[in-house]
Amino acid sequence: MADPHHSRRTLVTYALALGYVVIVAAGLILTLQDHSLTSGTIMSSLGLNLVASAVFALLFASISSRIQERAFMESVADKFDDLSTRLTERMSEREKIFLPSGSYLPSEGFDELFNRDLTDSLSSTSFYGFKGPSPRYLPGRLRTSPRHPHLVRVCMLDPSLEKSVSRRASDRGSRRNLGINPVPRLVEELRDELLMSVVALFDCRHFCPIEISYMEDTAIYRVELFDDSAYVSWYHGPESSGRKFPESYKFPPGSLQYETMKMDLNRRSEICDKSIVFNSRHVDADLIAHLHQLTDRTVDGTDLAAWRSQYEIFIARFISYLGGLRT
C-alpha cells in the first residue's frame, strides 16, 4: 500500500513544477509579442531582472531569517518558561515532602516560638503522640492545655533497661561537662525521673486515655506528633551540643518525616511487649502494681506521694511559663 504522505509530497512537487513551467512559458510568449525588441534588448532585460531578483532574494532571505530567528527565540523562551514553571512546581511539591515548615534554634531556656507553636497544635488536635527518652514536660502541657486530645500515646525509655538508661545518662553527663562515662548518680536521677514522669502521666488519665509503651531508645531525637504537625528535636544536632534544649524542626502532614514518624510511633505501640493504658477508672493501686511489675521493686503510696511532690517542684516554672504565653 502506497504511503499517503509520500504521494502528497510528490503531487505538490509536480504542481509547483507545472506552475513554474506555465509562468515561464507565458512570460516568454508575452515578451515575444513585442516585435520591436531585439535579442540584445531581451537579454539586457533578463539580466536586469536577474540582478533585481538576486537583490530581492538577498533582502528577503535576510529579513525572513531574522523573523525566523526571532520566532525561534520566542519559541525557545516560551518552552524555557514552561519548563521553569513546571520545575518550580515540582520542586515546591518535593519541598513539602522533605523540608520542614519551621525550625527552632537550640537554647538554654524555654524557646517562645517553639512552645507557642506546639501549644497551638496541642489545643486543636485529637491525637498527641510522643516518642523520646523522657516525657517529663508532657503532663505539664496537658494540664495547661485549654483542650485535650482524645488519646495520648507515649513511647518512652524503659527505666529497667540498664544500657539504654546509661546511654542517655552519658549524654546528659557530656552536656554538663562531667565526662563521657555515665556517672552512677546521673543514672539513678534519670531512672527516678522516668518513674516520676509515669506517675505524672497517670495523673492526667482524667483528661483522656494515656497509653504508655516502654522501649529501648538511642536518645538521638524526640518527636511530638499532632494532627497538624510533627515536632522533631535533634539532641545531637550540630548546634545542640552543650545546650539544654536541642534544635527542633516542624513538619506538616504529608511530609516524609511526619508520615514516617507517625507510622513508626503507632507500630512501636502495637508491637511493644511492655505497655499499658491508663484511663479514669484506674486508681493508685493499679499504678503501684504497674510500677512494681515494671521495675521489679517494691512501690507503695509513699513513693507515689514523693514522685508527685517531686514533679510539682520540677514542673512549676514550666507551667508558669506556659501561662505567660497565653497572655
Side-chain angles (χ1 to χ4, degrees):
M1 185 175 179
D3 185 1
H5 297 288
H6 178 71
S7 300
R8 190 179 298 111
R9 287 196 300 269
T10 303
L11 183 60
V12 170
T13 302
Y14 285 151
L16 289 174
L18 179 60
Y20 287 136
V21 170
V22 171
I23 291 172
V24 171
L28 289 175
I29 292 172
L30 293 174
T31 301
L32 294 175
Q33 295 300 313
D34 187 357
H35 300 288
S36 63
L37 294 175
T38 63
S39 58
T41 304
I42 295 174
M43 292 299 177
S44 176
S45 298
L46 289 175
L48 290 174
N49 287 329
L50 287 174
V51 172
S53 298
V55 173
F56 173 78
L58 179 63
L59 293 175
F60 178 80
S62 176
I63 295 173
S64 63
S65 63
R66 290 185 180 181
I67 295 175
Q68 290 177 357
E69 182 180 356
R70 184 181 302 171
F72 175 75
M73 294 302 296
E74 291 176 353
S75 176
V76 170
D78 291 341
K79 290 289 185 182
F80 183 78
D81 291 341
D82 180 60
L83 290 174
S84 298
T85 301
R86 290 164 58 185
L87 179 61
T88 302
E89 293 175 352
R90 189 69 178 271
M91 291 179 64
S92 298
E93 293 175 359
R94 292 298 179 185
E95 179 179 345
K96 295 178 183 178
I97 297 176
F98 295 106
L99 298 183
S101 58
S103 60
Y104 313 91
L105 295 175
S107 62
E108 289 299 320
F110 304 126
D111 183 79
E112 180 175 349
L113 180 59
F114 173 79
N115 284 285
R116 190 180 296 278
D117 288 351
L118 196 148
T119 299
D120 290 343
S121 295
L122 174 57
S123 64
S124 61
T125 191
S126 62
F127 172 79
Y128 185 1
F130 176 94
K131 177 183 175 295
S134 173
R136 54 183 178 169
Y137 289 104
L138 194 156
R141 294 189 186 279
L142 288 176
R143 286 165 53 177
T144 58
S145 177
R147 182 177 177 274
H148 299 110
H150 303 315
L151 173 67
V152 172
R153 176 167 290 159
V154 177
C155 287
M156 59 177 288
L157 179 60
D158 186 344
S160 66
L161 296 179
E162 187 68 31
K163 289 184 179 180
S164 295
V165 174
S166 297
R167 176 68 267 180
R168 179 57 180 159
S170 176
D171 291 339
R172 289 188 174 183
S174 298
R175 191 188 69 207
R176 300 179 192 178
N177 297 320
L178 297 179
I180 60 174
N181 295 318
V183 179
R185 178 175 55 85
L186 292 179
V187 172
E188 290 305 316
E189 285 180 359
L190 176 57
R191 183 176 288 110
D192 195 55
E193 175 191 306
L194 294 173
L195 296 174
M196 174 193 72
S197 300
V198 173
V199 174
L201 287 169
F202 173 83
D203 290 339
C204 294
R205 69 195 184 282
H206 297 293
F207 301 144
C208 60
I210 307 293
E211 178 182 309
I212 305 176
S213 300
Y214 303 95
M215 61 177 186
E216 292 183 338
D217 192 278
T218 56
I220 294 176
Y221 68 92
R222 178 188 73 236
V223 59
E224 296 182 76
L225 271 162
F226 305 93
D227 291 343
D228 66 349
S229 300
Y231 297 83
V232 180
S233 299
W234 188 10
Y235 293 123
H236 296 271
E239 299 181 13
S240 299
S241 178
R243 300 297 187 93
K244 184 175 182 180
F245 297 98
E247 58 191 271
S248 301
Y249 301 90
K250 179 181 179 181
F251 295 90
S255 65
L256 177 65
Q257 287 287 347
Y258 183 94
E259 300 301 332
T260 301
M261 294 296 179
K262 185 175 182 179
M263 182 177 292
D264 179 66
L265 177 69
N266 291 336
R267 290 196 175 185
R268 284 178 180 272
S269 175
E270 177 185 344
I271 66 176
C272 184
D273 293 329
K274 290 184 178 181
S275 62
I276 192 169
V277 179
F278 293 123
N279 56 49
S280 57
R281 296 190 302 273
H282 288 92
V283 295
D284 281 359
D286 299 312
L287 176 61
I288 290 174
H290 170 69
L291 292 177
H292 173 69
Q293 182 181 14
L294 179 65
T295 62
D296 196 27
R297 79 183 204 187
T298 301
V299 178
D300 56 25
T302 303
D303 296 317
L304 296 187
W307 279 319
R308 282 171 174 146
S309 176
Q310 180 182 344
Y311 189 75
E312 292 303 319
I313 295 173
F314 166 76
I315 205 66
R317 190 168 70 90
F318 184 62
I319 288 180
S320 176
Y321 171 79
L322 292 180
L325 290 180
R326 297 195 299 268
T327 59

